[in-house]
Structure formats: structure tokens, C-alpha cells
Amino acid sequence: MSNLTANDLKTKGIAAIEAVLADRPEAIVSVRGKERFVVMEIAQYHHLRECELEAALAETKTDIAAGRFNKGTAAAHVKRVKKTAA
């Protein structure tokens, strides 16, 4: 990943982002020398979100297959959550 400084953004604006993203899928924006943000094309963001949701679905299917779930009402669930949080 390539770095982009907050000053680059301040002086060059979107052109700085476009230049970095021309050869890379994402860039790190640093502020005062510390990495703070990541910028990417919206298509890349959507792809990553889709991967994240697919991973969550696979994890859920694994939990269900292994019997790691509870059946019950919403009220019973809230009660169980409050009990474990205390």
C-alpha cells in the first residue's frame, strides 16, 4: 500500500488520491506521521464488504452445524445477554 499524507490531500485534493490509486487498490493516509485512514475505489470497498459478509455467513453456518446456537424468544435472549454482561 502506498502512503498519502494529509498535507498531500490538503494541497492536491482528489488528484492526489487518483494518482495513488492509479496503480494500487488502496492507499494509507497519514496524519502527522501516523497512519490514520485508508482510501480506495468504491468497487474495492464493495468487494471487501462482500468478502466480509461471506465470511460471516460461513461462520454462522459452521456454528449452526456444530449446534452453537440458542432457540427462544427475543425477551429470553435479552435476559441471557444482560445476565452474561453483568
Side-chain angles (χ1 to χ4, degrees):
M1 253 188 269
S2 182
N3 278 28
L4 188 62
T5 66
N7 195 51
D8 290 337
L9 289 176
K10 187 176 179 181
T11 59
K12 300 174 188 162
I14 296 297
I17 295 171
E18 289 173 335
V20 172
L21 295 182
D23 5 316
R24 295 174 179 81
E26 64 262 332
I28 295 173
V29 178
S30 59
V31 179
R32 295 184 188 97
K34 294 187 179 187
E35 296 178 344
R36 293 281 314 271
F37 306 100
V38 174
V39 292
M40 64 185 69
E41 300 256 349
I42 195 69
Q44 176 73 2
Y45 171 77
H46 288 305
H47 172 72
L48 292 175
R49 286 290 294 149
E50 188 175 324
C51 291
E52 182 180 41
L53 293 171
E54 288 292 331
L57 180 59
E59 185 179 337
T60 300
K61 287 179 178 180
T62 300
D63 285 344
I64 290 170
R68 293 187 295 262
F69 65 92
N70 293 304
K71 284 187 176 182
T73 65
H77 175 69
V78 169
K79 185 176 180 180
R80 187 173 54 254
V81 169
K82 284 182 178 180
K83 190 178 197 178
T84 55

